[in-house]
Amino acid sequence: GLPTSTRGHQKKQSGDLVLISSKGRSYIARKDVDPNKAIDQYKVMLSRITYEHAGEPDKEGKLRVLSKIEVLEPGVVCTDSYLMVGPFDSATEAENAVIYLRTKFARFLISQTLSSINLNKDKFCFVPQIDLMNAPTDEDLFESYGLEQEEIEFVTNLMHTIEVN
């Protein structure tokens, strides 16, 4: 709920939240953030700009789709330069959401909606909501959603692998 132009201050004051903006990390007073937002929960932050230019594949013919994907802890907020996924009650769920969003399966489904470099919540319309208590793998997702071998090969050959730390 914070405009992209919002900038915080550099010296932390009592009760401040960490603010992530396109200029980096700073601090913002809690009173300046909408209390109805997920301030005190875990969430996942995504860059609003796709990795590729307007969804075009790289020289290898592959897509990455998502660029910055990061778990934000309670007490950390960001500007509208980023999309938020969540909120989550636990770090485990937020970390598993990152793992899910890094799967070729989820990124392929997002790529099917892209017509520009901009991401918004509508671009996730094909991505199923899943139980995030366990870390999903592409293999699990392909099996769960009944993809045939030809479809699996198409998705895996089109999407770059994003390493999960």
Side-chain angles (χ1 to χ4, degrees):
L2 296 169
T4 300
S5 61
T6 302
R7 299 292 179 260
H9 44 271
Q10 294 306 310
K11 290 189 178 184
K12 185 174 183 177
Q13 299 168 9
S14 178
D16 277 356
L17 304 169
V18 174
L19 171 67
I20 300 176
S21 71
S22 59
K23 293 289 186 186
R25 290 179 184 257
S26 59
Y27 301 96
I28 189 168
R30 182 178 283 269
K31 68 176 180 53
D32 294 334
V33 179
D34 182 345
N36 296 317
K37 301 297 180 185
I39 296 171
D40 295 312
Q41 292 173 288
Y42 290 90
K43 50 247 168 221
V44 174
M45 179 183 77
L46 304 171
S47 175
R48 279 194 180 269
I49 305 299
T50 62
Y51 191 81
E52 292 83 20
H53 176 70
E56 293 181 19
D58 65 11
K59 62 183 179 231
E60 296 174 27
K62 293 189 175 198
L63 297 171
R64 183 176 160 129
V65 181
L66 301 176
S67 50
K68 186 173 191 153
I69 308 171
E70 181 180 336
V71 172
L72 298 186
E73 295 182 350
V76 181
V77 297
C78 65
T79 68
D80 281 339
S81 294
Y82 302 96
L83 288 175
M84 299 302 299
V85 176
F88 303 99
D89 293 326
S90 70
T92 299
E93 288 176 290
E95 290 161 5
N96 288 343
V98 169
I99 291 168
Y100 181 38
L101 291 168
R102 287 181 175 158
T103 65
K104 291 181 178 187
F105 177 83
R107 290 181 295 116
F108 174 80
L109 293 172
I110 296 165
S111 76
Q112 300 310 293
T113 67
L114 298 178
S115 59
S116 73
I117 64 170
N118 297 308
L119 282 177
N120 59 43
K121 68 180 182 177
D122 297 340
K123 304 300 185 219
F124 294 78
C125 63
F126 297 139
V127 180
Q129 289 187 0
I130 63 169
D131 178 2
L132 293 169
M133 291 310 294
N134 298 303
T137 65
D138 274 311
E139 293 73 21
D140 294 338
L141 295 164
F142 294 151
E143 183 179 328
S144 292
Y145 292 98
L147 273 69
E148 296 179 8
Q149 188 59 37
E150 184 178 306
E151 295 166 321
I152 293 169
E153 289 173 9
F154 181 76
V155 170
T156 57
N157 290 333
L158 181 64
M159 306 307 296
H160 272 289
T161 299
I162 298 179
E163 296 301 321
V164 177
N165 299 349

PDB file of all heavy atoms in Angstrom, residues 69-103:
ATOM      1  N   ILE A  69      12.855 -12.543  -5.909  1.00  0.00           N
ATOM      2  CA  ILE A  69      11.904 -13.273  -5.064  1.00  0.00           C
ATOM      3  C   ILE A  69      12.543 -13.362  -3.679  1.00  0.00           C
ATOM      4  O   ILE A  69      13.620 -13.927  -3.538  1.00  0.00           O
ATOM      5  CB  ILE A  69      11.637 -14.708  -5.579  1.00  0.00           C
ATOM      6  CG1 ILE A  69      11.249 -14.724  -7.046  1.00  0.00           C
ATOM      7  CG2 ILE A  69      10.586 -15.391  -4.721  1.00  0.00           C
ATOM      8  CD1 ILE A  69      11.180 -16.127  -7.642  1.00  0.00           C
ATOM      9  N   GLU A  70      11.880 -12.803  -2.676  1.00  0.00           N
ATOM     10  CA  GLU A  70      12.496 -12.734  -1.353  1.00  0.00           C
ATOM     11  C   GLU A  70      11.439 -12.853  -0.256  1.00  0.00           C
ATOM     12  O   GLU A  70      10.367 -12.258  -0.366  1.00  0.00           O
ATOM     13  CB  GLU A  70      13.220 -11.387  -1.231  1.00  0.00           C
ATOM     14  CG  GLU A  70      13.927 -11.145   0.059  1.00  0.00           C
ATOM     15  CD  GLU A  70      14.619  -9.778   0.083  1.00  0.00           C
ATOM     16  OE1 GLU A  70      14.948  -9.222  -0.976  1.00  0.00           O
ATOM     17  OE2 GLU A  70      14.806  -9.259   1.199  1.00  0.00           O
ATOM     18  N   VAL A  71      11.756 -13.597   0.791  1.00  0.00           N
ATOM     19  CA  VAL A  71      10.882 -13.672   1.962  1.00  0.00           C
ATOM     20  C   VAL A  71      11.098 -12.417   2.798  1.00  0.00           C
ATOM     21  O   VAL A  71      12.232 -12.024   3.066  1.00  0.00           O
ATOM     22  CB  VAL A  71      11.193 -14.924   2.818  1.00  0.00           C
ATOM     23  CG1 VAL A  71      10.424 -14.884   4.135  1.00  0.00           C
ATOM     24  CG2 VAL A  71      10.884 -16.201   2.057  1.00  0.00           C
ATOM     25  N   LEU A  72       9.989 -11.795   3.193  1.00  0.00           N
ATOM     26  CA  LEU A  72      10.054 -10.665   4.113  1.00  0.00           C
ATOM     27  C   LEU A  72       9.530 -11.123   5.463  1.00  0.00           C
ATOM     28  O   LEU A  72       8.444 -11.686   5.564  1.00  0.00           O
ATOM     29  CB  LEU A  72       9.208  -9.493   3.609  1.00  0.00           C
ATOM     30  CG  LEU A  72       9.601  -8.882   2.272  1.00  0.00           C
ATOM     31  CD1 LEU A  72       8.760  -7.640   2.006  1.00  0.00           C
ATOM     32  CD2 LEU A  72      11.078  -8.560   2.199  1.00  0.00           C
ATOM     33  N   GLU A  73      10.298 -10.867   6.475  1.00  0.00           N
ATOM     34  CA  GLU A  73       9.930 -11.246   7.833  1.00  0.00           C
ATOM     35  C   GLU A  73       8.930 -10.245   8.406  1.00  0.00           C
ATOM     36  O   GLU A  73       8.776  -9.145   7.880  1.00  0.00           O
ATOM     37  CB  GLU A  73      11.184 -11.308   8.699  1.00  0.00           C
ATOM     38  CG  GLU A  73      12.141 -12.389   8.266  1.00  0.00           C
ATOM     39  CD  GLU A  73      13.371 -12.473   9.157  1.00  0.00           C
ATOM     40  OE1 GLU A  73      13.577 -11.565  10.004  1.00  0.00           O
ATOM     41  OE2 GLU A  73      14.109 -13.447   9.014  1.00  0.00           O
ATOM     42  N   PRO A  74       8.284 -10.604   9.496  1.00  0.00           N
ATOM     43  CA  PRO A  74       7.432  -9.629  10.174  1.00  0.00           C
ATOM     44  C   PRO A  74       8.236  -8.362  10.483  1.00  0.00           C
ATOM     45  O   PRO A  74       9.414  -8.432  10.834  1.00  0.00           O
ATOM     46  CB  PRO A  74       7.027 -10.355  11.463  1.00  0.00           C
ATOM     47  CG  PRO A  74       7.080 -11.808  11.096  1.00  0.00           C
ATOM     48  CD  PRO A  74       8.255 -11.925  10.152  1.00  0.00           C
ATOM     49  N   GLY A  75       7.590  -7.212  10.312  1.00  0.00           N
ATOM     50  CA  GLY A  75       8.262  -5.946  10.559  1.00  0.00           C
ATOM     51  C   GLY A  75       8.976  -5.379   9.351  1.00  0.00           C
ATOM     52  O   GLY A  75       9.613  -4.335   9.437  1.00  0.00           O
ATOM     53  N   VAL A  76       8.869  -6.059   8.217  1.00  0.00           N
ATOM     54  CA  VAL A  76       9.473  -5.577   6.976  1.00  0.00           C
ATOM     55  C   VAL A  76       8.346  -5.337   5.978  1.00  0.00           C
ATOM     56  O   VAL A  76       7.471  -6.188   5.801  1.00  0.00           O
ATOM     57  CB  VAL A  76      10.486  -6.584   6.389  1.00  0.00           C
ATOM     58  CG1 VAL A  76      11.112  -6.048   5.109  1.00  0.00           C
ATOM     59  CG2 VAL A  76      11.562  -6.930   7.416  1.00  0.00           C
ATOM     60  N   VAL A  77       8.356  -4.160   5.358  1.00  0.00           N
ATOM     61  CA  VAL A  77       7.349  -3.798   4.365  1.00  0.00           C
ATOM     62  C   VAL A  77       8.053  -3.321   3.104  1.00  0.00           C
ATOM     63  O   VAL A  77       9.267  -3.090   3.106  1.00  0.00           O
ATOM     64  CB  VAL A  77       6.386  -2.700   4.901  1.00  0.00           C
ATOM     65  CG1 VAL A  77       5.599  -3.217   6.107  1.00  0.00           C
ATOM     66  CG2 VAL A  77       7.138  -1.427   5.258  1.00  0.00           C
ATOM     67  N   CYS A  78       7.292  -3.160   2.032  1.00  0.00           N
ATOM     68  CA  CYS A  78       7.886  -2.684   0.787  1.00  0.00           C
ATOM     69  C   CYS A  78       6.917  -1.757   0.068  1.00  0.00           C
ATOM     70  O   CYS A  78       5.728  -1.717   0.384  1.00  0.00           O
ATOM     71  CB  CYS A  78       8.296  -3.846  -0.101  1.00  0.00           C
ATOM     72  SG  CYS A  78       6.940  -4.845  -0.695  1.00  0.00           S
ATOM     73  N   THR A  79       7.447  -1.041  -0.897  1.00  0.00           N
ATOM     74  CA  THR A  79       6.622  -0.144  -1.696  1.00  0.00           C
ATOM     75  C   THR A  79       5.936  -0.928  -2.804  1.00  0.00           C
ATOM     76  O   THR A  79       6.210  -2.121  -3.010  1.00  0.00           O
ATOM     77  CB  THR A  79       7.469   0.974  -2.338  1.00  0.00           C
ATOM     78  OG1 THR A  79       8.336   0.391  -3.316  1.00  0.00           O
ATOM     79  CG2 THR A  79       8.263   1.745  -1.292  1.00  0.00           C
ATOM     80  N   ASP A  80       5.091  -0.238  -3.541  1.00  0.00           N
ATOM     81  CA  ASP A  80       4.391  -0.858  -4.666  1.00  0.00           C
ATOM     82  C   ASP A  80       5.297  -1.125  -5.864  1.00  0.00           C
ATOM     83  O   ASP A  80       4.818  -1.507  -6.921  1.00  0.00           O
ATOM     84  CB  ASP A  80       3.190  -0.011  -5.080  1.00  0.00           C
ATOM     85  CG  ASP A  80       1.997  -0.213  -4.170  1.00  0.00           C
ATOM     86  OD1 ASP A  80       1.941  -1.257  -3.496  1.00  0.00           O
ATOM     87  OD2 ASP A  80       1.126   0.674  -4.137  1.00  0.00           O
ATOM     88  N   SER A  81       6.608  -0.953  -5.701  1.00  0.00           N
ATOM     89  CA  SER A  81       7.559  -1.393  -6.731  1.00  0.00           C
ATOM     90  C   SER A  81       7.568  -2.916  -6.785  1.00  0.00           C
ATOM     91  O   SER A  81       8.104  -3.499  -7.726  1.00  0.00           O
ATOM     92  CB  SER A  81       8.976  -0.904  -6.415  1.00  0.00           C
ATOM     93  OG  SER A  81       9.051   0.490  -6.487  1.00  0.00           O
ATOM     94  N   TYR A  82       6.995  -3.525  -5.763  1.00  0.00           N
ATOM     95  CA  TYR A  82       7.019  -4.982  -5.626  1.00  0.00           C
ATOM     96  C   TYR A  82       5.606  -5.523  -5.430  1.00  0.00           C
ATOM     97  O   TYR A  82       4.717  -4.821  -4.969  1.00  0.00           O
ATOM     98  CB  TYR A  82       7.889  -5.380  -4.419  1.00  0.00           C
ATOM     99  CG  TYR A  82       9.297  -4.860  -4.530  1.00  0.00           C
ATOM    100  CD1 TYR A  82       9.665  -3.670  -3.921  1.00  0.00           C
ATOM    101  CD2 TYR A  82      10.245  -5.545  -5.272  1.00  0.00           C
ATOM    102  CE1 TYR A  82      10.952  -3.169  -4.040  1.00  0.00           C
ATOM    103  CE2 TYR A  82      11.532  -5.060  -5.404  1.00  0.00           C
ATOM    104  CZ  TYR A  82      11.882  -3.871  -4.788  1.00  0.00           C
ATOM    105  OH  TYR A  82      13.150  -3.387  -4.913  1.00  0.00           O
ATOM    106  N   LEU A  83       5.442  -6.776  -5.769  1.00  0.00           N
ATOM    107  CA  LEU A  83       4.209  -7.505  -5.489  1.00  0.00           C
ATOM    108  C   LEU A  83       4.408  -8.286  -4.205  1.00  0.00           C
ATOM    109  O   LEU A  83       5.516  -8.730  -3.913  1.00  0.00           O
ATOM    110  CB  LEU A  83       3.898  -8.509  -6.604  1.00  0.00           C
ATOM    111  CG  LEU A  83       3.422  -7.973  -7.928  1.00  0.00           C
ATOM    112  CD1 LEU A  83       3.294  -9.128  -8.927  1.00  0.00           C
ATOM    113  CD2 LEU A  83       2.089  -7.275  -7.775  1.00  0.00           C
ATOM    114  N   MET A  84       3.316  -8.485  -3.483  1.00  0.00           N
ATOM    115  CA  MET A  84       3.376  -9.288  -2.270  1.00  0.00           C
ATOM    116  C   MET A  84       2.574 -10.560  -2.462  1.00  0.00           C
ATOM    117  O   MET A  84       1.472 -10.532  -3.005  1.00  0.00           O
ATOM    118  CB  MET A  84       2.781  -8.509  -1.100  1.00  0.00           C
ATOM    119  CG  MET A  84       3.510  -7.217  -0.778  1.00  0.00           C
ATOM    120  SD  MET A  84       5.238  -7.450  -0.388  1.00  0.00           S
ATOM    121  CE  MET A  84       5.105  -8.470   1.030  1.00  0.00           C
ATOM    122  N   VAL A  85       3.127 -11.672  -2.014  1.00  0.00           N
ATOM    123  CA  VAL A  85       2.431 -12.953  -1.984  1.00  0.00           C
ATOM    124  C   VAL A  85       2.299 -13.316  -0.514  1.00  0.00           C
ATOM    125  O   VAL A  85       3.260 -13.252   0.237  1.00  0.00           O
ATOM    126  CB  VAL A  85       3.215 -14.043  -2.744  1.00  0.00           C
ATOM    127  CG1 VAL A  85       2.525 -15.387  -2.622  1.00  0.00           C
ATOM    128  CG2 VAL A  85       3.395 -13.647  -4.202  1.00  0.00           C
ATOM    129  N   GLY A  86       1.117 -13.700  -0.117  1.00  0.00           N
ATOM    130  CA  GLY A  86       0.895 -14.045   1.273  1.00  0.00           C
ATOM    131  C   GLY A  86      -0.263 -13.238   1.816  1.00  0.00           C
ATOM    132  O   GLY A  86      -1.095 -12.768   1.054  1.00  0.00           O
ATOM    133  N   PRO A  87      -0.337 -13.061   3.101  1.00  0.00           N
ATOM    134  CA  PRO A  87       0.669 -13.320   4.128  1.00  0.00           C
ATOM    135  C   PRO A  87       0.670 -14.778   4.586  1.00  0.00           C
ATOM    136  O   PRO A  87      -0.259 -15.533   4.317  1.00  0.00           O
ATOM    137  CB  PRO A  87       0.230 -12.406   5.264  1.00  0.00           C
ATOM    138  CG  PRO A  87      -1.254 -12.334   5.130  1.00  0.00           C
ATOM    139  CD  PRO A  87      -1.526 -12.405   3.652  1.00  0.00           C
ATOM    140  N   PHE A  88       1.732 -15.094   5.313  1.00  0.00           N
ATOM    141  CA  PHE A  88       1.919 -16.438   5.847  1.00  0.00           C
ATOM    142  C   PHE A  88       2.146 -16.346   7.349  1.00  0.00           C
ATOM    143  O   PHE A  88       2.747 -15.387   7.823  1.00  0.00           O
ATOM    144  CB  PHE A  88       3.115 -17.119   5.180  1.00  0.00           C
ATOM    145  CG  PHE A  88       2.984 -17.191   3.687  1.00  0.00           C
ATOM    146  CD1 PHE A  88       3.616 -16.267   2.872  1.00  0.00           C
ATOM    147  CD2 PHE A  88       2.205 -18.169   3.095  1.00  0.00           C
ATOM    148  CE1 PHE A  88       3.491 -16.322   1.496  1.00  0.00           C
ATOM    149  CE2 PHE A  88       2.061 -18.230   1.714  1.00  0.00           C
ATOM    150  CZ  PHE A  88       2.704 -17.307   0.913  1.00  0.00           C
ATOM    151  N   ASP A  89       1.704 -17.363   8.056  1.00  0.00           N
ATOM    152  CA  ASP A  89       1.861 -17.388   9.507  1.00  0.00           C
ATOM    153  C   ASP A  89       3.225 -17.887   9.949  1.00  0.00           C
ATOM    154  O   ASP A  89       3.623 -17.670  11.087  1.00  0.00           O
ATOM    155  CB  ASP A  89       0.774 -18.255  10.151  1.00  0.00           C
ATOM    156  CG  ASP A  89      -0.602 -17.632   9.984  1.00  0.00           C
ATOM    157  OD1 ASP A  89      -0.704 -16.384  10.007  1.00  0.00           O
ATOM    158  OD2 ASP A  89      -1.578 -18.389   9.818  1.00  0.00           O
ATOM    159  N   SER A  90       3.942 -18.556   9.050  1.00  0.00           N
ATOM    160  CA  SER A  90       5.235 -19.113   9.439  1.00  0.00           C
ATOM    161  C   SER A  90       6.279 -18.873   8.357  1.00  0.00           C
ATOM    162  O   SER A  90       5.955 -18.704   7.178  1.00  0.00           O
ATOM    163  CB  SER A  90       5.116 -20.623   9.688  1.00  0.00           C
ATOM    164  OG  SER A  90       4.911 -21.309   8.462  1.00  0.00           O
ATOM    165  N   ALA A  91       7.525 -18.886   8.796  1.00  0.00           N
ATOM    166  CA  ALA A  91       8.645 -18.758   7.865  1.00  0.00           C
ATOM    167  C   ALA A  91       8.656 -19.936   6.898  1.00  0.00           C
ATOM    168  O   ALA A  91       8.963 -19.771   5.719  1.00  0.00           O
ATOM    169  CB  ALA A  91       9.955 -18.678   8.633  1.00  0.00           C
ATOM    170  N   THR A  92       8.295 -21.121   7.384  1.00  0.00           N
ATOM    171  CA  THR A  92       8.287 -22.317   6.532  1.00  0.00           C
ATOM    172  C   THR A  92       7.345 -22.148   5.348  1.00  0.00           C
ATOM    173  O   THR A  92       7.721 -22.436   4.210  1.00  0.00           O
ATOM    174  CB  THR A  92       7.879 -23.564   7.350  1.00  0.00           C
ATOM    175  OG1 THR A  92       8.845 -23.756   8.388  1.00  0.00           O
ATOM    176  CG2 THR A  92       7.783 -24.795   6.488  1.00  0.00           C
ATOM    177  N   GLU A  93       6.137 -21.667   5.605  1.00  0.00           N
ATOM    178  CA  GLU A  93       5.191 -21.458   4.504  1.00  0.00           C
ATOM    179  C   GLU A  93       5.710 -20.425   3.513  1.00  0.00           C
ATOM    180  O   GLU A  93       5.588 -20.605   2.295  1.00  0.00           O
ATOM    181  CB  GLU A  93       3.837 -20.998   5.045  1.00  0.00           C
ATOM    182  CG  GLU A  93       3.053 -22.070   5.750  1.00  0.00           C
ATOM    183  CD  GLU A  93       1.783 -21.508   6.343  1.00  0.00           C
ATOM    184  OE1 GLU A  93       1.872 -20.742   7.319  1.00  0.00           O
ATOM    185  OE2 GLU A  93       0.706 -21.825   5.803  1.00  0.00           O
ATOM    186  N   ALA A  94       6.296 -19.342   4.006  1.00  0.00           N
ATOM    187  CA  ALA A  94       6.825 -18.305   3.119  1.00  0.00           C
ATOM    188  C   ALA A  94       7.991 -18.849   2.292  1.00  0.00           C
ATOM    189  O   ALA A  94       8.074 -18.605   1.081  1.00  0.00           O
ATOM    190  CB  ALA A  94       7.262 -17.085   3.928  1.00  0.00           C
ATOM    191  N   GLU A  95       8.876 -19.588   2.925  1.00  0.00           N
ATOM    192  CA  GLU A  95      10.010 -20.188   2.207  1.00  0.00           C
ATOM    193  C   GLU A  95       9.524 -21.190   1.166  1.00  0.00           C
ATOM    194  O   GLU A  95      10.062 -21.257   0.056  1.00  0.00           O
ATOM    195  CB  GLU A  95      10.976 -20.833   3.196  1.00  0.00           C
ATOM    196  CG  GLU A  95      11.714 -19.807   4.039  1.00  0.00           C
ATOM    197  CD  GLU A  95      12.321 -20.374   5.308  1.00  0.00           C
ATOM    198  OE1 GLU A  95      12.266 -21.601   5.532  1.00  0.00           O
ATOM    199  OE2 GLU A  95      12.840 -19.561   6.104  1.00  0.00           O
ATOM    200  N   ASN A  96       8.493 -21.964   1.498  1.00  0.00           N
ATOM    201  CA  ASN A  96       7.944 -22.922   0.527  1.00  0.00           C
ATOM    202  C   ASN A  96       7.221 -22.209  -0.615  1.00  0.00           C
ATOM    203  O   ASN A  96       7.181 -22.706  -1.737  1.00  0.00           O
ATOM    204  CB  ASN A  96       7.032 -23.928   1.223  1.00  0.00           C
ATOM    205  CG  ASN A  96       7.817 -24.914   2.062  1.00  0.00           C
ATOM    206  OD1 ASN A  96       9.027 -25.072   1.900  1.00  0.00           O
ATOM    207  ND2 ASN A  96       7.142 -25.564   2.983  1.00  0.00           N
ATOM    208  N   ALA A  97       6.661 -21.025  -0.344  1.00  0.00           N
ATOM    209  CA  ALA A  97       6.062 -20.228  -1.417  1.00  0.00           C
ATOM    210  C   ALA A  97       7.138 -19.781  -2.394  1.00  0.00           C
ATOM    211  O   ALA A  97       6.930 -19.794  -3.614  1.00  0.00           O
ATOM    212  CB  ALA A  97       5.321 -19.023  -0.843  1.00  0.00           C
ATOM    213  N   VAL A  98       8.295 -19.407  -1.878  1.00  0.00           N
ATOM    214  CA  VAL A  98       9.422 -19.040  -2.750  1.00  0.00           C
ATOM    215  C   VAL A  98       9.831 -20.245  -3.589  1.00  0.00           C
ATOM    216  O   VAL A  98      10.040 -20.132  -4.805  1.00  0.00           O
ATOM    217  CB  VAL A  98      10.618 -18.503  -1.927  1.00  0.00           C
ATOM    218  CG1 VAL A  98      11.866 -18.377  -2.791  1.00  0.00           C
ATOM    219  CG2 VAL A  98      10.261 -17.173  -1.290  1.00  0.00           C
ATOM    220  N   ILE A  99       9.939 -21.395  -2.962  1.00  0.00           N
ATOM    221  CA  ILE A  99      10.299 -22.614  -3.695  1.00  0.00           C
ATOM    222  C   ILE A  99       9.278 -22.895  -4.788  1.00  0.00           C
ATOM    223  O   ILE A  99       9.629 -23.208  -5.927  1.00  0.00           O
ATOM    224  CB  ILE A  99      10.441 -23.806  -2.722  1.00  0.00           C
ATOM    225  CG1 ILE A  99      11.669 -23.601  -1.841  1.00  0.00           C
ATOM    226  CG2 ILE A  99      10.506 -25.143  -3.469  1.00  0.00           C
ATOM    227  CD1 ILE A  99      11.766 -24.549  -0.662  1.00  0.00           C
ATOM    228  N   TYR A 100       8.005 -22.742  -4.456  1.00  0.00           N
ATOM    229  CA  TYR A 100       6.932 -22.957  -5.437  1.00  0.00           C
ATOM    230  C   TYR A 100       7.053 -21.981  -6.605  1.00  0.00           C
ATOM    231  O   TYR A 100       6.977 -22.375  -7.772  1.00  0.00           O
ATOM    232  CB  TYR A 100       5.577 -22.813  -4.735  1.00  0.00           C
ATOM    233  CG  TYR A 100       4.357 -23.039  -5.598  1.00  0.00           C
ATOM    234  CD1 TYR A 100       4.325 -24.017  -6.587  1.00  0.00           C
ATOM    235  CD2 TYR A 100       3.213 -22.285  -5.399  1.00  0.00           C
ATOM    236  CE1 TYR A 100       3.188 -24.230  -7.360  1.00  0.00           C
ATOM    237  CE2 TYR A 100       2.073 -22.484  -6.151  1.00  0.00           C
ATOM    238  CZ  TYR A 100       2.068 -23.453  -7.137  1.00  0.00           C
ATOM    239  OH  TYR A 100       0.942 -23.667  -7.895  1.00  0.00           O
ATOM    240  N   LEU A 101       7.264 -20.722  -6.304  1.00  0.00           N
ATOM    241  CA  LEU A 101       7.364 -19.718  -7.366  1.00  0.00           C
ATOM    242  C   LEU A 101       8.615 -19.901  -8.219  1.00  0.00           C
ATOM    243  O   LEU A 101       8.658 -19.429  -9.358  1.00  0.00           O
ATOM    244  CB  LEU A 101       7.324 -18.310  -6.770  1.00  0.00           C
ATOM    245  CG  LEU A 101       5.966 -17.921  -6.190  1.00  0.00           C
ATOM    246  CD1 LEU A 101       6.086 -16.640  -5.374  1.00  0.00           C
ATOM    247  CD2 LEU A 101       4.927 -17.777  -7.292  1.00  0.00           C
ATOM    248  N   ARG A 102       9.596 -20.585  -7.705  1.00  0.00           N
ATOM    249  CA  ARG A 102      10.802 -20.871  -8.489  1.00  0.00           C
ATOM    250  C   ARG A 102      10.653 -22.124  -9.351  1.00  0.00           C
ATOM    251  O   ARG A 102      11.521 -22.403 -10.171  1.00  0.00           O
ATOM    252  CB  ARG A 102      12.008 -21.019  -7.562  1.00  0.00           C
ATOM    253  CG  ARG A 102      12.463 -19.696  -7.001  1.00  0.00           C
ATOM    254  CD  ARG A 102      13.668 -19.861  -6.118  1.00  0.00           C
ATOM    255  NE  ARG A 102      14.149 -18.545  -5.697  1.00  0.00           N
ATOM    256  CZ  ARG A 102      14.893 -18.340  -4.639  1.00  0.00           C
ATOM    257  NH1 ARG A 102      15.254 -19.360  -3.872  1.00  0.00           N
ATOM    258  NH2 ARG A 102      15.286 -17.123  -4.326  1.00  0.00           N
ATOM    259  N   THR A 103       9.580 -22.880  -9.150  1.00  0.00           N
ATOM    260  CA  THR A 103       9.404 -24.077  -9.985  1.00  0.00           C
ATOM    261  C   THR A 103       9.140 -23.683 -11.433  1.00  0.00           C
ATOM    262  O   THR A 103       8.577 -22.624 -11.718  1.00  0.00           O
ATOM    263  CB  THR A 103       8.240 -24.976  -9.500  1.00  0.00           C
ATOM    264  OG1 THR A 103       7.002 -24.266  -9.644  1.00  0.00           O
ATOM    265  CG2 THR A 103       8.452 -25.478  -8.083  1.00  0.00           C
TER     266      THR A 103
END
